[in-house]
Amino acid sequence: MKIFKEIFGRIWALWGLITFAVTLCLVAIPITLTFLIKEPNGVKVFKAISRVWINAYLFLIGCRMHVTGKQYYNPKKQYVVVANHQSFLDVLLLTPFFPGPNKTIAKKSLSRIPIFGWVYTRGSVLVERGSDASRVRSFEAMKNVILKQHLNMVVYPEGTRNRTGKPLKNFYDGAFKLAMSCDKEIIPAIILNTAKALPTNKAFFMWPTHLEMHILPPVSSENKTKDQLKAEVYEQMWQHIESYRQETQLTA
């Protein structure tokens, strides 16, 4: 059974790569044209196209997506959205499945990939790792996304994919500084099971998996220090992921 799973997982990864490339080429031109639409409408159109694209892609690779907690999102507000990060799949899921229009902080290096880079850049604020000047520019750009473009800003506070086996890695400060600077609430978006679908510890492996996104109640940044805000959000997300793990183990 283990050998069968290893073989199938690699065949499925090839299928996943082929279907991603084909579907990406189909949506690349429509998505590129959204650069011509003024914000926030441009991102709204981009989100709608992305939702159709990613839903089709998930169907082709045998991954169902379920979102809970949409009632916690107020469409009349803008939020700093903080999400956990387990897998490359997370990047594909946040934009189309989070309830409101959003942009994501993202690595500039990935924007140089042909075709994918256009799509990646459309929904992102790019930052160059290791560059203090780039981080300053990206912080101002994120403030602009929230305060002038009236969009939600997605940040992965763990910085990189979580390979520890624990619910979360330690958080960096950026998301919490941003929320306080813009006087906005933080709303956690927890993505579940993407590490099963596309594991970080296996080369070229994919497995059909039920994926979930849980939107949690927003956390106010008012009258809190950065460290207090970070600790509160971290605890909320940690407990939710841990509870989910225990429940799924009991029902498995």
Side-chain angles (χ1 to χ4, degrees), residues 77-81 179 183-187 218-221:
K77 293 183 177 182
Q78 291 80 48
Y79 298 90
V80 176
V81 183
D183 193 24
K184 298 295 181 181
E185 294 175 305
I186 285 182
I187 190 165
V219 178
S220 174
S221 61

Side-chain angles (χ1 to χ4, degrees), residues 186-188 190 216-219 231-241:
I186 285 182
I187 190 165
I190 295 178
L216 304 188
V219 178
E232 183 176 349
V233 173
Y234 187 90
E235 180 67 16
Q236 181 189 32
M237 293 177 69
W238 177 289
Q239 292 299 332
H240 189 89
I241 296 170

Side-chain angles (χ1 to χ4, degrees), residues 64-93:
R64 295 175 297 150
M65 183 67 183
H66 181 63
V67 181
T68 64
K70 292 180 182 179
Q71 69 274 16
Y72 296 122
Y73 172 75
N74 184 343
K76 295 181 180 180
K77 293 183 177 182
Q78 291 80 48
Y79 298 90
V80 176
V81 183
V82 296
N84 61 319
H85 195 13
Q86 313 173 80
S87 165
F88 283 125
L89 273 178
D90 301 332
V91 178
L92 301 180
L93 301 179

Side-chain angles (χ1 to χ4, degrees), residues 1-250:
M1 181 62 184
K2 185 176 181 181
I3 294 175
F4 167 76
K5 184 173 182 178
E6 292 295 322
I7 294 172
F8 178 82
R10 282 160 177 79
I11 294 172
W12 203 246
L14 178 61
W15 168 248
L17 181 61
I18 292 169
T19 54
F20 181 76
V22 171
T23 56
L24 173 64
C25 289
L26 291 174
V27 300
I29 292 177
I31 284 176
T32 301
L33 292 175
T34 67
F35 279 104
L36 303 176
I37 305 173
K38 188 177 179 181
E39 306 296 21
N41 291 327
V43 162
K44 290 179 180 179
V45 175
F46 168 65
K47 175 182 170 67
I49 296 171
S50 296
R51 189 174 179 87
V52 173
W53 168 36
I54 299 303
N55 265 317
Y57 177 63
L58 292 178
F59 174 78
L60 290 170
I61 62 172
C63 291
R64 295 175 297 150
M65 183 67 183
H66 181 63
V67 181
T68 64
K70 292 180 182 179
Q71 69 274 16
Y72 296 122
Y73 172 75
N74 184 343
K76 295 181 180 180
K77 293 183 177 182
Q78 291 80 48
Y79 298 90
V80 176
V81 183
V82 296
N84 61 319
H85 195 13
Q86 313 173 80
S87 165
F88 283 125
L89 273 178
D90 301 332
V91 178
L92 301 180
L93 301 179
L94 241 304
T95 292
F97 292 110
F98 183 78
N102 58 85
K103 287 189 176 182
T104 305
I105 188 71
K107 293 186 294 185
K108 188 174 183 180
S109 59
L110 293 180
S111 69
R112 302 185 183 101
I113 300 173
I115 303 178
F116 174 76
W118 305 339
V119 175
Y120 184 76
T121 300
R122 181 61 186 94
S124 304
V125 171
L126 300 177
V127 60
E128 192 165 354
R129 285 184 176 179
S131 170
D132 291 338
S134 178
R135 283 197 292 269
V136 171
R137 288 194 300 270
S138 67
F139 189 83
E140 292 303 315
M142 288 191 291
K143 288 173 61 177
N144 183 69
V145 165
I146 295 171
L147 298 176
K148 295 185 179 180
Q149 297 179 14
H150 306 294
L151 299 166
N152 303 289
M153 189 67 224
V154 177
V155 181
Y156 297 98
E158 294 169 287
T160 58
R161 287 171 293 162
N162 181 7
R163 304 169 188 259
T164 66
K166 298 178 180 178
L168 294 168
K169 291 170 59 181
N170 291 334
F171 283 175
Y172 288 97
D173 294 339
F176 311 98
K177 289 180 178 178
L178 179 64
M180 295 176 71
S181 178
C182 297
D183 193 24
K184 298 295 181 181
E185 294 175 305
I186 285 182
I187 190 165
I190 295 178
I191 305 172
L192 298 161
N193 300 327
T194 51
K196 295 179 181 178
L198 196 65
T200 58
N201 61 345
K202 289 188 177 184
F204 206 70
F205 184 96
M206 179 178 279
W207 194 260
T209 307
H210 176 68
L211 308 176
E212 299 186 36
M213 181 187 295
H214 295 185
I215 311 300
L216 304 188
V219 178
S220 174
S221 61
E222 189 176 359
N223 298 323
K224 294 172 186 172
T225 66
K226 167 183 60 63
D227 289 339
Q228 288 172 335
L229 180 60
K230 180 168 66 172
E232 183 176 349
V233 173
Y234 187 90
E235 180 67 16
Q236 181 189 32
M237 293 177 69
W238 177 289
Q239 292 299 332
H240 189 89
I241 296 170
E242 187 63 24
S243 295
Y244 176 85
R245 287 183 173 185
Q246 292 175 5
E247 288 173 8
T248 53
Q249 285 174 357
L250 288 172

